[in-house]
Amino acid sequence: VVGVDGLAVVTAASGPAASCILTMGGLTLAQLRWMFSDWTDEQLRNDRNGGVDVSSVAPHDDNNGVKEWSDLNVECAAVPINIYGAGALSGTSAFFGEAVFCANCFAKKAGYTPEKFPACSKADIDELDHLEALADIQSFLDTKRNPDCYMPSEDDEQIMQWVTMDKKGIAYFGYAYFAHNAPKLSVVRIASDTKKGVHDTTDALIMPSAFAIMDGSYAVFTRTLYMNVDNAAWPLVKKFMEFGYSDTGMELVAEEGYVKPNAAIRAKMSRRVAEGGNPTADYITLPPDECPNGTALNETPYLNVFGNPKTEYTCVDCEVGFAKADNRPIKCSPCIQGTFASTTGSSACTFCKPGEYAEQGSSKPSLCPLNTCAPMPGQGQCNTCDQGFFTDELGATSCDRCAEGTYRTMNDSICVTCPVGMTTEFRAATQLIDCACAEDSFLIEGGTVMGPCAPCPPGMVCPFGSRFDNFAKFAEDPLLPIPTLEKHHWSNPSEPLSSFKCRIDMNSCPGGGPGTCNGGRVGRVCAVCPEGQTWGDHGCMACAGGFGAVLYLAVFACSGSIIFAYYAGNSPLRANVTIATAGSTLASQFLTIVQILSMFKDLNVQWPADVRHVFEGLAFTVGSGGISYECFLGSKAAWKYSFRCILPIFFVCNIVLVYFGSKVVAKIVKFKSPGTMFKAWDLDGTLNTAGQILQALFIGVAAIVVVPLQCYPHPNGLKSLSQYPEVLCFHEGDHTMLLLFGVMIAILFVIPFLAYCIYGTYLVVNPKECETGRESAHHAERMIRRYRFLLFRFRADVWWWGNLFMLRQLLLAFAPSLPATTPHGQSIYVIIVLCFYGFAQAHYWPWKAPEFNLLDLYVTAGLVVVITISMVFIPTTEDTADYAKSLIAFLFVLGLGMIVLLSRIGFYTCKDKFLKRSRSTLPGSSFGSDKTDVDMDMGRKMHGLANSLSSRGIPEFVESLAQMSYYDRIALVKGLNAYAASMSEPDPKMVLKLRLTGLTRSDRSLDSSTGSHAKVDGSSEKPRLMDGCPEKGMADYALVWI
């Protein structure tokens, strides 16, 4: 023992801390423990070795989590209590901790909760420890120092400096050091009460002093100072030790601020020095109080010089995979799962990154293997991917879903591809049965989970997982996936994959399951209503009575129309248009337009619904729509078609009956009323009436003939009739029967009637040779009356136009019979027919009245526009090779025609240039300027005609002009103007000028009194007709017609 020392608890000489201590008078050990312990109030209160009365120690605690001076006394400042003291390597720190804290807890004995100083962070301690400038220290203490933490130092000078600069701080160090710096500090009186605060304690508050320390009154913080000597070192230190216990040495102890030992202790120590200590004494090795963070207490056994077993305690760096986060002298702990330490001396283990894992005690992380993942940091093991999920690389942070068309079970290392043609409906499939046939394919009959899948049949939609075998269960479970029909398609339940395309009313085929029809329709492609029903606005409906009456009414209406046509259509031919002719012409043109439009519905064009309804409404004119045949013929196609075939024959028979009926009526009238005039029908008039009616119905009858040829294809490769889709083309007996009916009506009506019209035209313009003019004229008059229906609407010089008109109708009727697989071809065909007809009509201008010509041209152009627009509603075709070839062929023909025309122009131009005065210019040629035989012949005829007309008076001449047709009078005026101009001016330029102005010199030479020119030879011939049999030519026909 060399002296006695005490600890002094101090604050700055002034400031919030010093003022608070002065107000309270001091502190108890309980209050110091509350300030300097890292325990919570709850732990302090429940200490088994004697708890602290926190309500007494800090009666005004505001529970804000920060220990403040105002928590001790209401009059103190509400500022943090900043604590300072010795470091862990100093015995001062251990002495203070054992005196203030739970001694066993501070010593970290087993079974006790460790109690220690609430140390500040190592970074803050190091930063403050290395600051030297006072301004930097003051700035750190004012702005960066964290409250409620213990700032340690191994240097008392540093502690004193910090506490004097931090007016809120409190610290402790040796009394001797305080004695040397007392003017800068304020020392705290201490009471030994370990439970209550200064206001409630009964213990005395003792101020530290040399006397209080020596007499033991300040025992709470008094300690004895020892000097230990190794027995082996006594020879070296004996002189020093003797000096220490001398009077001079004791004075030095006192000068340092320590208390000298009393005389008894001094004498005892002097004797021990003289004896050289205790030769048998041995030292006890003790573990260090702490090992720094990242180091572990290492125990190495050995034998000392006395042969006694000892343990050497050292602090060594933690091994890799181990770490220690505090300064306790304990072993390093292995890194827990999910963490690792890759270097020695680690104070903390590092968390694994996502995609990595680490077992306990790992020195480095490992990447997650395939089909595992680690989505979170710090995982001790990787998560196994569920079935249907996978990873294809090491270190995955998440499992990916197997793509569509693959699956994975827990036994599979990778996602397995579904069998050929199969896929999955979703990602992350988990088993083979999740695979099924892909969309637009189906599992064939008897197929297994391995397939095979077949492409979806045309006209059908195959959702994912479609199976043929589901058809048998579809009625019980409509949700089973099967190949379903597209809209407007139908299939037989017995052959569900053989789809047919609906045509009559596409809305009747909703698609879906096989055999499904809307509106009550039944049969193939939902084409018919059940027996006893007919189609109405809202579907099939029961046939109402009265259809027989309608049939009889139609018969009477037919007879009435025949009678009306006879009397209205057998009037004499006129050169000009009469009201009756105009009415019948307009009616026939209107009927023609309606029939052509109704025929358009049978083209393979996807007309809009409203347009198709219009066409279907007009179809009654050709006998294919608007009539409910089912109610008296049934739904069988052969019966309905045969009835349509009989219609033209019915009209002919009805005409025959009316013809003979007129003769019977005439005889009866003559017998009963002899004075009554009723003339029986003559044969020529009756034939003309029949021709009128049959000509009006010609396109309808021709359309009936081609019905068995109008086939459209189905997705299954079969074809159906467009108008009777329940009948398969060239596949069933019903179609054969329809073909026979069509051939029959073609042989019995279409071909004969067309030949009859051509032959009749020939007879009119080529009458038979006769002996007398009277017989010839009578025969010609009969032929004109008989074939009047071919001639009455057209000009005399275009007498053949009626046959061309019927040819156009026949060609248009055949348009729907062209292959339905080439709908563009059908439309192009119609356009070509109409364009050629329109060109011819514009060239010949055949109708008697200009208005009818304009109407016909307007209608033709309108129909071309309709068909051109229809191509918008035709699906785009991928096979354009045939169309390309057709286009090239058409361009070739077009070019060839241009070459022929240009060659003709070149030929006559060259002939006129190099063969002057040629007499061989062809009649009708527009080339050549020399006189020709034709010119001579025309000159003689015109001269004779002039001689004949000169003898007639103006009234007679005007009457003749009035009987000429409109177009003949226009042509005559143009010819007279042209001839008069050329007669009056020999210069061609002057002729052109006169024609443009409408004036000629001949106009002034016309005799206004007689209206005639003087004859060239002065004679005056009477006009006369040619005698004898007329020549075979249209000139004589024109005379008869007029």
Side-chain angles (χ1 to χ4, degrees), residues 976-986 990-991 994-995 999-1000 1002:
L976 289 173
N977 285 336
Y979 185 72
S982 61
M983 286 289 293
S984 60
E985 287 290 345
M990 290 304 298
V991 172
L994 289 173
R995 293 205 63 184
L999 297 174
T1000 65
S1002 61

Side-chain angles (χ1 to χ4, degrees), residues 2 238-254 260-261 266-267 269-270 273:
V2 296
K238 185 174 182 180
K239 293 287 186 182
F240 174 77
M241 296 297 293
E242 289 175 350
F243 172 78
Y245 285 106
S246 66
D247 292 338
T248 304
M250 289 293 103
E251 290 299 328
L252 292 175
V253 171
K260 297 182 291 184
R266 181 181 176 186
M269 293 300 104
S270 296
V273 171

Side-chain angles (χ1 to χ4, degrees), residues 474-496:
F474 186 72
E476 302 174 1
D477 188 359
L479 298 179
L480 290 174
I482 60 170
T484 58
L485 293 160
E486 293 180 357
K487 193 175 181 181
H488 311 319
H489 288 75
W490 178 92
S491 68
N492 195 318
S494 61
E495 295 180 351

Side-chain angles (χ1 to χ4, degrees), residues 155 223 473 504 619 869 883:
D155 186 355
R223 59 177 176 171
K473 313 169 190 175
I504 291 293
I869 295 175
Y883 292 109

Side-chain angles (χ1 to χ4, degrees), residues 682-893:
D682 64 276
L683 180 61
D684 296 323
T686 303
L687 291 176
N688 176 59
T689 301
Q692 289 184 65
I693 295 174
L694 296 180
Q695 186 184 45
L697 299 176
F698 183 76
I699 188 172
V701 177
I704 293 173
V705 171
V706 299
V707 164
L709 303 178
Q710 296 173 359
C711 298
Y712 73 95
H714 292 296
N716 58 12
L718 299 175
K719 295 182 179 180
S720 279
L721 291 180
S722 297
Q723 297 189 26
Y724 303 104
E726 68 271 25
V727 178
L728 297 179
C729 294
F730 309 102
H731 194 72
E732 295 176 334
D734 285 350
H735 184 244
T736 303
M737 185 175 296
L738 266 63
L739 281 173
L740 292 176
F741 278 118
V743 171
M744 178 190 70
I745 199 66
I747 294 175
L748 295 180
F749 177 79
V750 176
I751 298 175
F753 182 70
L754 190 60
Y756 173 77
C757 292
I758 296 173
Y759 179 69
T761 306
Y762 174 79
L763 289 181
V764 170
V765 299
N766 295 280
K768 293 181 180 180
E769 295 186 1
C770 56
E771 296 179 356
T772 65
R774 182 180 298 275
E775 293 178 358
S776 175
H778 178 70
H779 182 268
E781 183 179 354
R782 286 190 57 198
M783 293 301 101
I784 291 174
R785 180 175 173 80
R786 178 177 298 181
Y787 298 106
R788 179 183 182 278
F789 68 95
L790 294 171
L791 307 171
F792 77 100
R793 294 172 293 177
F794 309 113
R795 291 168 36 217
D797 55 336
V798 198
W799 46 269
W800 41 268
W801 192 260
N803 294 322
L804 180 63
F805 187 78
M806 284 199 301
L807 178 62
R808 184 198 75 167
Q809 304 294 74
L810 182 63
L811 293 176
L812 291 178
F814 273 88
S817 64
L818 295 178
T821 54
T822 58
H824 292 89
Q826 291 181 346
S827 298
I828 293 172
Y829 169 81
V830 173
I831 291 174
I832 291 174
V833 172
L834 290 174
C835 285
F836 274 102
Y837 174 82
F839 296 155
Q841 195 269 344
H843 177 72
Y844 290 104
W845 221 238
W847 301 84
K848 283 184 177 180
E851 293 79 8
F852 295 152
N853 283 298
L854 291 174
L855 177 62
D856 193 17
L857 193 61
Y858 172 77
V859 169
T860 301
L863 293 175
V864 170
V865 171
V866 171
I867 290 299
T868 303
I869 295 175
S870 74
M871 293 190 180
V872 176
F873 308 109
I874 298 176
T876 303
T877 178
E878 297 180 359
D879 185 12
T880 59
D882 292 339
Y883 292 109
K885 294 176 182 178
S886 300
L887 179 59
I888 292 173
F890 178 77
L891 292 175
F892 175 78
V893 173

